[in-house]
Structures are given as structure tokens and as C-alpha cells.
Amino acid sequence: MLALALLIFPVQARAAGNENENRLRVFVDCHCSDPVGQSFCSDFKGKVRDSVAYRLVDHTDAYGIGVHLWCVDLFAGIPGVDSKLSGTMSAVSVAFTIYSDRLPGEVYEDSSVFRVGKDAADEMSNRILAAVGQLATANKAVFEHIRATPKPAATPSQRVIE
């Protein structure tokens, strides 16, 4: 029984690994210091992580889509605004990029600025994930070309010996 389990497990692990490799990489870069922005960023990362179409990554290696978020509390530090409003809404700027280890850097795709209330992180995360899907569809040919083109092998450099 144990031997059978050991034989089956590697096959399942390989299948899961292949499935993971087929998912489009999404790099999420958050610069959110306010509580609503942090909650939104965390919720969005969770949606990417749980998605069957995308894989959350920590680095922009290989190729994928970058989602860069910057958040500020809308009401913090504004004179005359009731302090009870602080921590209830965040202004969020998002910039979308595509990246590849074959490009000199990330390529700008789109950007937007919007407000997120403390009870709307889930809804806005879904909207941003939908935008990622639109960008993935729009760049499908690019990603397929990157995937199909073999990475050039490193060529040894010639060194002059004196």
C-alpha cells in the first residue's frame, strides 16, 4: 500500500506542477500603508493566488502581468475633516505592465485611479482581476510567442590572454 502511494504521489505532484506552469504569472507590487489599502492589496493577492488562470509570483522573471498598487488614506491629514473618516476609504492607483525576461524592463499597459471603501475591497479586487483577464486576452499572442520561442543559450565570451 505504501509503495503504491509513493508511486502515485509523484505523478500527482508533476500534474499539479504542470498545471501551475500553464497559469499566467501575475506579480503584485503593493505600496499601501493605510489599513483600507492594505486590506485591498491582501484581498487582491488572495484572489490571484486562488485563481485557476493565474499564479501569484514574487518576482518579474519569465513572463507575465505586473499589477502595481499605491494607496493612501483619503481622509488622513485633511484639516477640518472628522478624524472618524480616517481609515474608511483609500485612494488607489494601479498600473498594469507586462514583463518578460527577454525585455529590458516592464512594458506599461494601462493605469487607473479609484476609491476603495473599507467594505468594498472584495468587489474592487474582482474588478482588478477582471482587468488582468482583459490584459491577458489582449496580449495572448505576445505571451504565446514568448512561450513558444526558446530562450537563447548563453554564448561563451572570448577572452584575450596576454
Short mmCIF file of all heavy atoms in Angstrom, two decimals, residues 101-155:
data_model
loop_
_atom_site.label_atom_id
_atom_site.label_comp_id
_atom_site.label_asym_id
_atom_site.label_seq_id
_atom_site.Cartn_x
_atom_site.Cartn_y
_atom_site.Cartn_z
N ASP A 101 11.50 38.06 -19.25
CA ASP A 101 12.94 38.05 -19.04
C ASP A 101 13.69 38.38 -20.34
O ASP A 101 14.89 38.54 -20.34
CB ASP A 101 13.41 36.72 -18.46
CG ASP A 101 12.95 35.51 -19.26
OD1 ASP A 101 12.24 35.69 -20.27
OD2 ASP A 101 13.27 34.39 -18.86
N ARG A 102 12.95 38.54 -21.43
CA ARG A 102 13.55 38.89 -22.72
C ARG A 102 13.38 40.36 -23.06
O ARG A 102 13.78 40.80 -24.12
CB ARG A 102 12.95 38.03 -23.82
CG ARG A 102 13.26 36.57 -23.55
CD ARG A 102 12.64 35.68 -24.54
NE ARG A 102 12.65 34.33 -24.01
CZ ARG A 102 11.94 33.37 -24.47
NH1 ARG A 102 11.12 33.58 -25.46
NH2 ARG A 102 12.00 32.18 -23.94
N LEU A 103 12.73 41.10 -22.17
CA LEU A 103 12.55 42.53 -22.36
C LEU A 103 13.52 43.27 -21.44
O LEU A 103 13.90 42.74 -20.40
CB LEU A 103 11.12 42.94 -22.02
CG LEU A 103 10.01 42.39 -22.92
CD1 LEU A 103 8.64 42.69 -22.32
CD2 LEU A 103 10.13 42.97 -24.31
N PRO A 104 13.88 44.50 -21.78
CA PRO A 104 14.79 45.25 -20.91
C PRO A 104 14.15 45.71 -19.61
O PRO A 104 14.82 46.17 -18.70
CB PRO A 104 15.21 46.44 -21.78
CG PRO A 104 14.10 46.59 -22.77
CD PRO A 104 13.55 45.22 -23.00
N GLY A 105 12.85 45.60 -19.50
CA GLY A 105 12.12 46.01 -18.29
C GLY A 105 10.65 45.73 -18.49
O GLY A 105 10.25 45.06 -19.45
N GLU A 106 9.84 46.25 -17.60
CA GLU A 106 8.40 46.08 -17.74
C GLU A 106 7.86 47.06 -18.78
O GLU A 106 8.36 48.17 -18.90
CB GLU A 106 7.72 46.29 -16.39
CG GLU A 106 8.07 45.23 -15.37
CD GLU A 106 7.37 45.44 -14.05
OE1 GLU A 106 6.16 45.18 -13.98
OE2 GLU A 106 8.05 45.86 -13.10
N VAL A 107 6.82 46.64 -19.48
CA VAL A 107 6.21 47.47 -20.51
C VAL A 107 4.85 47.93 -19.98
O VAL A 107 4.02 47.12 -19.60
CB VAL A 107 6.03 46.69 -21.83
CG1 VAL A 107 5.31 47.53 -22.86
CG2 VAL A 107 7.37 46.21 -22.35
N TYR A 108 4.66 49.24 -19.95
CA TYR A 108 3.41 49.83 -19.47
C TYR A 108 2.24 49.39 -20.34
O TYR A 108 2.31 49.41 -21.56
CB TYR A 108 3.54 51.36 -19.47
CG TYR A 108 2.24 52.07 -19.19
CD1 TYR A 108 1.80 52.25 -17.89
CD2 TYR A 108 1.46 52.55 -20.23
CE1 TYR A 108 0.61 52.90 -17.62
CE2 TYR A 108 0.27 53.21 -19.98
CZ TYR A 108 -0.16 53.38 -18.67
OH TYR A 108 -1.34 54.02 -18.41
N GLU A 109 1.14 49.02 -19.70
CA GLU A 109 -0.07 48.63 -20.42
C GLU A 109 -1.22 49.59 -20.16
O GLU A 109 -1.88 50.02 -21.08
CB GLU A 109 -0.51 47.22 -19.99
CG GLU A 109 0.27 46.12 -20.65
CD GLU A 109 -0.01 46.01 -22.13
OE1 GLU A 109 -1.17 46.05 -22.55
OE2 GLU A 109 0.97 45.90 -22.88
N ASP A 110 -1.50 49.89 -18.89
CA ASP A 110 -2.67 50.70 -18.56
C ASP A 110 -2.55 51.15 -17.11
O ASP A 110 -1.75 50.61 -16.34
CB ASP A 110 -3.95 49.89 -18.75
CG ASP A 110 -5.19 50.76 -18.88
OD1 ASP A 110 -5.09 52.00 -18.88
OD2 ASP A 110 -6.30 50.19 -18.97
N SER A 111 -3.36 52.13 -16.74
CA SER A 111 -3.38 52.57 -15.34
C SER A 111 -4.75 53.17 -15.02
O SER A 111 -5.51 53.52 -15.92
CB SER A 111 -2.28 53.60 -15.05
OG SER A 111 -2.47 54.75 -15.84
N SER A 112 -5.01 53.30 -13.73
CA SER A 112 -6.28 53.85 -13.28
C SER A 112 -6.13 54.32 -11.84
O SER A 112 -5.24 53.87 -11.12
CB SER A 112 -7.37 52.77 -13.37
OG SER A 112 -8.62 53.30 -12.99
N VAL A 113 -7.01 55.21 -11.44
CA VAL A 113 -7.09 55.66 -10.05
C VAL A 113 -8.55 55.52 -9.63
O VAL A 113 -9.46 55.88 -10.38
CB VAL A 113 -6.63 57.13 -9.90
CG1 VAL A 113 -6.78 57.60 -8.45
CG2 VAL A 113 -5.19 57.29 -10.35
N PHE A 114 -8.76 54.97 -8.44
CA PHE A 114 -10.12 54.77 -7.96
C PHE A 114 -10.14 54.82 -6.44
O PHE A 114 -9.09 54.84 -5.80
CB PHE A 114 -10.69 53.44 -8.48
CG PHE A 114 -9.80 52.25 -8.22
CD1 PHE A 114 -9.93 51.49 -7.06
CD2 PHE A 114 -8.82 51.90 -9.13
CE1 PHE A 114 -9.11 50.40 -6.83
CE2 PHE A 114 -8.00 50.82 -8.91
CZ PHE A 114 -8.15 50.07 -7.75
N ARG A 115 -11.33 54.84 -5.89
CA ARG A 115 -11.50 54.83 -4.43
C ARG A 115 -11.99 53.46 -3.99
O ARG A 115 -12.77 52.82 -4.69
CB ARG A 115 -12.53 55.87 -4.00
CG ARG A 115 -12.08 57.29 -4.27
CD ARG A 115 -13.19 58.24 -4.02
NE ARG A 115 -14.28 57.89 -4.97
CZ ARG A 115 -15.43 58.51 -5.04
NH1 ARG A 115 -15.69 59.48 -4.22
NH2 ARG A 115 -16.34 58.15 -5.91
N VAL A 116 -11.52 53.04 -2.83
CA VAL A 116 -11.96 51.78 -2.24
C VAL A 116 -12.39 52.06 -0.82
O VAL A 116 -11.59 52.54 -0.01
CB VAL A 116 -10.83 50.72 -2.23
CG1 VAL A 116 -11.30 49.44 -1.54
CG2 VAL A 116 -10.35 50.41 -3.62
N GLY A 117 -13.64 51.76 -0.52
CA GLY A 117 -14.12 51.86 0.85
C GLY A 117 -13.76 50.61 1.63
O GLY A 117 -13.48 49.56 1.04
N LYS A 118 -13.76 50.71 2.94
CA LYS A 118 -13.32 49.57 3.75
C LYS A 118 -14.18 48.33 3.56
O LYS A 118 -13.71 47.22 3.78
CB LYS A 118 -13.22 49.94 5.23
CG LYS A 118 -14.52 50.24 5.92
CD LYS A 118 -14.27 50.57 7.37
CE LYS A 118 -15.57 50.88 8.08
NZ LYS A 118 -15.35 51.21 9.48
N ASP A 119 -15.41 48.48 3.09
CA ASP A 119 -16.28 47.33 2.85
C ASP A 119 -16.32 46.91 1.38
O ASP A 119 -17.10 46.03 1.01
CB ASP A 119 -17.70 47.63 3.34
CG ASP A 119 -17.75 47.88 4.84
OD1 ASP A 119 -16.96 47.26 5.57
OD2 ASP A 119 -18.57 48.72 5.27
N ALA A 120 -15.50 47.53 0.54
CA ALA A 120 -15.56 47.27 -0.90
C ALA A 120 -14.30 46.60 -1.45
O ALA A 120 -14.16 46.48 -2.66
CB ALA A 120 -15.82 48.57 -1.66
N ALA A 121 -13.40 46.15 -0.59
CA ALA A 121 -12.15 45.54 -1.06
C ALA A 121 -12.43 44.32 -1.94
O ALA A 121 -11.79 44.14 -2.98
CB ALA A 121 -11.25 45.16 0.11
N ASP A 122 -13.38 43.49 -1.55
CA ASP A 122 -13.70 42.29 -2.30
C ASP A 122 -14.19 42.63 -3.71
O ASP A 122 -13.72 42.07 -4.71
CB ASP A 122 -14.75 41.47 -1.55
CG ASP A 122 -15.08 40.16 -2.24
OD1 ASP A 122 -14.15 39.36 -2.44
OD2 ASP A 122 -16.26 39.95 -2.58
N GLU A 123 -15.12 43.56 -3.81
CA GLU A 123 -15.67 43.95 -5.11
C GLU A 123 -14.60 44.55 -6.01
O GLU A 123 -14.49 44.22 -7.19
CB GLU A 123 -16.81 44.94 -4.92
CG GLU A 123 -17.40 45.44 -6.22
CD GLU A 123 -18.41 46.57 -6.03
OE1 GLU A 123 -18.86 46.80 -4.89
OE2 GLU A 123 -18.74 47.21 -7.03
N MET A 124 -13.77 45.44 -5.46
CA MET A 124 -12.74 46.08 -6.26
C MET A 124 -11.65 45.09 -6.66
O MET A 124 -11.10 45.18 -7.76
CB MET A 124 -12.14 47.28 -5.52
CG MET A 124 -13.10 48.45 -5.40
SD MET A 124 -13.84 48.97 -6.98
CE MET A 124 -12.44 49.64 -7.82
N SER A 125 -11.36 44.13 -5.81
CA SER A 125 -10.39 43.08 -6.16
C SER A 125 -10.89 42.29 -7.36
O SER A 125 -10.12 41.96 -8.26
CB SER A 125 -10.16 42.13 -4.98
OG SER A 125 -9.51 42.80 -3.94
N ASN A 126 -12.18 41.98 -7.36
CA ASN A 126 -12.77 41.27 -8.50
C ASN A 126 -12.66 42.09 -9.78
O ASN A 126 -12.38 41.56 -10.86
CB ASN A 126 -14.23 40.92 -8.24
CG ASN A 126 -14.38 39.78 -7.26
OD1 ASN A 126 -13.52 38.91 -7.15
ND2 ASN A 126 -15.49 39.77 -6.53
N ARG A 127 -12.85 43.39 -9.68
CA ARG A 127 -12.77 44.26 -10.86
C ARG A 127 -11.33 44.32 -11.40
O ARG A 127 -11.12 44.31 -12.61
CB ARG A 127 -13.27 45.65 -10.53
CG ARG A 127 -14.77 45.69 -10.34
CD ARG A 127 -15.25 47.10 -10.09
NE ARG A 127 -16.69 47.12 -9.87
CZ ARG A 127 -17.39 48.22 -9.80
NH1 ARG A 127 -16.79 49.40 -9.90
NH2 ARG A 127 -18.69 48.17 -9.60
N ILE A 128 -10.37 44.41 -10.50
CA ILE A 128 -8.97 44.45 -10.94
C ILE A 128 -8.57 43.11 -11.54
O ILE A 128 -7.86 43.06 -12.55
CB ILE A 128 -8.04 44.85 -9.77
CG1 ILE A 128 -8.38 46.26 -9.29
CG2 ILE A 128 -6.57 44.78 -10.19
CD1 ILE A 128 -8.25 47.35 -10.33
N LEU A 129 -9.06 42.02 -10.97
CA LEU A 129 -8.77 40.70 -11.54
C LEU A 129 -9.40 40.57 -12.93
O LEU A 129 -8.79 39.99 -13.84
CB LEU A 129 -9.28 39.60 -10.61
CG LEU A 129 -8.74 38.20 -10.87
CD1 LEU A 129 -7.22 38.17 -10.74
CD2 LEU A 129 -9.37 37.20 -9.93
N ALA A 130 -10.58 41.14 -13.12
CA ALA A 130 -11.20 41.15 -14.45
C ALA A 130 -10.35 41.96 -15.44
O ALA A 130 -10.21 41.57 -16.61
CB ALA A 130 -12.62 41.71 -14.37
N ALA A 131 -9.78 43.06 -14.97
CA ALA A 131 -8.90 43.87 -15.83
C ALA A 131 -7.65 43.07 -16.21
O ALA A 131 -7.18 43.15 -17.36
CB ALA A 131 -8.52 45.17 -15.13
N VAL A 132 -7.11 42.30 -15.28
CA VAL A 132 -5.97 41.43 -15.59
C VAL A 132 -6.36 40.45 -16.69
O VAL A 132 -5.60 40.21 -17.63
CB VAL A 132 -5.47 40.70 -14.33
CG1 VAL A 132 -4.46 39.61 -14.68
CG2 VAL A 132 -4.85 41.68 -13.34
N GLY A 133 -7.58 39.91 -16.60
CA GLY A 133 -8.06 38.99 -17.63
C GLY A 133 -8.16 39.65 -19.00
O GLY A 133 -7.80 39.04 -20.02
N GLN A 134 -8.60 40.90 -19.03
CA GLN A 134 -8.68 41.62 -20.30
C GLN A 134 -7.29 41.85 -20.89
O GLN A 134 -7.08 41.71 -22.09
CB GLN A 134 -9.40 42.95 -20.10
CG GLN A 134 -10.88 42.79 -19.79
CD GLN A 134 -11.54 44.10 -19.39
OE1 GLN A 134 -10.88 45.11 -19.17
NE2 GLN A 134 -12.86 44.08 -19.30
N LEU A 135 -6.34 42.19 -20.02
CA LEU A 135 -4.96 42.40 -20.49
C LEU A 135 -4.34 41.08 -20.96
O LEU A 135 -3.59 41.06 -21.94
CB LEU A 135 -4.11 43.03 -19.40
CG LEU A 135 -4.45 44.48 -19.07
CD1 LEU A 135 -3.70 44.93 -17.83
CD2 LEU A 135 -4.14 45.37 -20.25
N ALA A 136 -4.64 39.99 -20.26
CA ALA A 136 -4.13 38.68 -20.66
C ALA A 136 -4.67 38.31 -22.04
O ALA A 136 -3.94 37.81 -22.90
CB ALA A 136 -4.50 37.62 -19.63
N THR A 137 -5.94 38.59 -22.27
CA THR A 137 -6.56 38.30 -23.57
C THR A 137 -5.95 39.19 -24.66
O THR A 137 -5.62 38.71 -25.74
CB THR A 137 -8.08 38.51 -23.51
OG1 THR A 137 -8.62 37.61 -22.52
CG2 THR A 137 -8.74 38.25 -24.84
N ALA A 138 -5.79 40.47 -24.36
CA ALA A 138 -5.23 41.41 -25.34
C ALA A 138 -3.79 41.07 -25.70
O ALA A 138 -3.35 41.33 -26.81
CB ALA A 138 -5.30 42.84 -24.80
N ASN A 139 -3.05 40.48 -24.77
CA ASN A 139 -1.64 40.15 -25.01
C ASN A 139 -1.41 38.66 -25.23
O ASN A 139 -0.27 38.20 -25.14
CB ASN A 139 -0.80 40.64 -23.81
CG ASN A 139 -0.71 42.14 -23.80
OD1 ASN A 139 -0.04 42.74 -24.62
ND2 ASN A 139 -1.41 42.76 -22.86
N LYS A 140 -2.46 37.92 -25.51
CA LYS A 140 -2.37 36.47 -25.67
C LYS A 140 -1.32 36.08 -26.71
O LYS A 140 -0.50 35.20 -26.49
CB LYS A 140 -3.73 35.89 -26.03
CG LYS A 140 -3.74 34.40 -26.14
CD LYS A 140 -5.13 33.88 -26.43
CE LYS A 140 -5.11 32.36 -26.54
NZ LYS A 140 -6.43 31.83 -26.83
N ALA A 141 -1.34 36.75 -27.86
CA ALA A 141 -0.38 36.42 -28.91
C ALA A 141 1.06 36.68 -28.46
O ALA A 141 1.97 35.90 -28.76
CB ALA A 141 -0.69 37.21 -30.18
N VAL A 142 1.27 37.75 -27.71
CA VAL A 142 2.61 38.07 -27.20
C VAL A 142 3.08 36.97 -26.25
O VAL A 142 4.20 36.46 -26.37
CB VAL A 142 2.61 39.44 -26.48
CG1 VAL A 142 3.93 39.68 -25.78
CG2 VAL A 142 2.28 40.55 -27.45
N PHE A 143 2.22 36.58 -25.31
CA PHE A 143 2.60 35.55 -24.35
C PHE A 143 2.83 34.20 -25.03
O PHE A 143 3.75 33.47 -24.67
CB PHE A 143 1.55 35.43 -23.25
CG PHE A 143 1.48 36.63 -22.34
CD1 PHE A 143 0.26 37.17 -21.98
CD2 PHE A 143 2.63 37.23 -21.85
CE1 PHE A 143 0.19 38.28 -21.15
CE2 PHE A 143 2.58 38.33 -21.02
CZ PHE A 143 1.35 38.87 -20.66
N GLU A 144 2.01 33.86 -26.03
CA GLU A 144 2.20 32.61 -26.76
C GLU A 144 3.52 32.62 -27.52
O GLU A 144 4.22 31.63 -27.58
CB GLU A 144 1.03 32.35 -27.71
CG GLU A 144 -0.22 31.92 -26.99
CD GLU A 144 -1.43 31.76 -27.90
OE1 GLU A 144 -1.34 32.10 -29.12
OE2 GLU A 144 -2.47 31.31 -27.40
N HIS A 145 3.87 33.78 -28.10
CA HIS A 145 5.16 33.91 -28.80
C HIS A 145 6.32 33.73 -27.83
O HIS A 145 7.28 33.03 -28.14
CB HIS A 145 5.24 35.26 -29.51
CG HIS A 145 6.54 35.48 -30.21
ND1 HIS A 145 6.86 34.83 -31.39
CD2 HIS A 145 7.61 36.26 -29.89
CE1 HIS A 145 8.08 35.21 -31.76
NE2 HIS A 145 8.54 36.07 -30.87
N ILE A 146 6.23 34.36 -26.68
CA ILE A 146 7.29 34.23 -25.67
C ILE A 146 7.42 32.77 -25.23
O ILE A 146 8.52 32.24 -25.11
CB ILE A 146 7.02 35.15 -24.46
CG1 ILE A 146 7.18 36.61 -24.87
CG2 ILE A 146 7.95 34.82 -23.30
CD1 ILE A 146 6.69 37.61 -23.82
N ARG A 147 6.29 32.13 -24.99
CA ARG A 147 6.29 30.74 -24.54
C ARG A 147 6.87 29.82 -25.60
O ARG A 147 7.60 28.88 -25.29
CB ARG A 147 4.87 30.30 -24.19
CG ARG A 147 4.79 28.92 -23.58
CD ARG A 147 3.37 28.50 -23.25
NE ARG A 147 2.67 29.48 -22.45
CZ ARG A 147 1.42 29.88 -22.66
NH1 ARG A 147 0.71 29.39 -23.64
NH2 ARG A 147 0.86 30.78 -21.87
N ALA A 148 6.57 30.07 -26.87
CA ALA A 148 6.99 29.17 -27.96
C ALA A 148 8.43 29.38 -28.40
O ALA A 148 9.05 28.48 -28.94
CB ALA A 148 6.06 29.35 -29.16
N THR A 149 8.96 30.58 -28.18
CA THR A 149 10.32 30.89 -28.63
C THR A 149 11.31 30.42 -27.57
O THR A 149 11.25 30.85 -26.42
CB THR A 149 10.48 32.40 -28.85
OG1 THR A 149 9.46 32.84 -29.74
CG2 THR A 149 11.85 32.73 -29.42
N PRO A 150 12.24 29.54 -27.98
CA PRO A 150 13.23 29.09 -26.99
C PRO A 150 14.12 30.24 -26.56
O PRO A 150 14.44 31.14 -27.34
CB PRO A 150 14.03 28.02 -27.73
CG PRO A 150 13.57 28.03 -29.14
CD PRO A 150 12.41 28.95 -29.27
N LYS A 151 14.47 30.21 -25.30
CA LYS A 151 15.36 31.23 -24.75
C LYS A 151 16.75 31.01 -25.35
O LYS A 151 17.23 29.89 -25.39
CB LYS A 151 15.38 31.09 -23.23
CG LYS A 151 15.92 32.28 -22.52
CD LYS A 151 15.71 32.13 -21.03
CE LYS A 151 16.25 33.31 -20.30
NZ LYS A 151 16.07 33.18 -18.87
N PRO A 152 17.40 32.07 -25.84
CA PRO A 152 18.71 31.89 -26.44
C PRO A 152 19.71 31.39 -25.40
O PRO A 152 19.71 31.82 -24.26
CB PRO A 152 19.09 33.28 -26.94
CG PRO A 152 18.13 34.23 -26.33
CD PRO A 152 16.96 33.44 -25.84
N ALA A 153 20.54 30.45 -25.85
CA ALA A 153 21.58 29.90 -24.97
C ALA A 153 22.67 30.95 -24.79
O ALA A 153 22.99 31.70 -25.71
CB ALA A 153 22.14 28.63 -25.55
N ALA A 154 23.21 30.97 -23.63
CA ALA A 154 24.31 31.90 -23.36
C ALA A 154 25.52 31.47 -24.17
O ALA A 154 25.89 30.30 -24.19
CB ALA A 154 24.63 31.91 -21.87
N THR A 155 26.12 32.43 -24.85
CA THR A 155 27.31 32.11 -25.63
C THR A 155 28.53 32.50 -24.82
O THR A 155 28.56 33.58 -24.20
CB THR A 155 27.31 32.88 -26.97
OG1 THR A 155 27.21 34.28 -26.70
CG2 THR A 155 26.16 32.43 -27.85
#
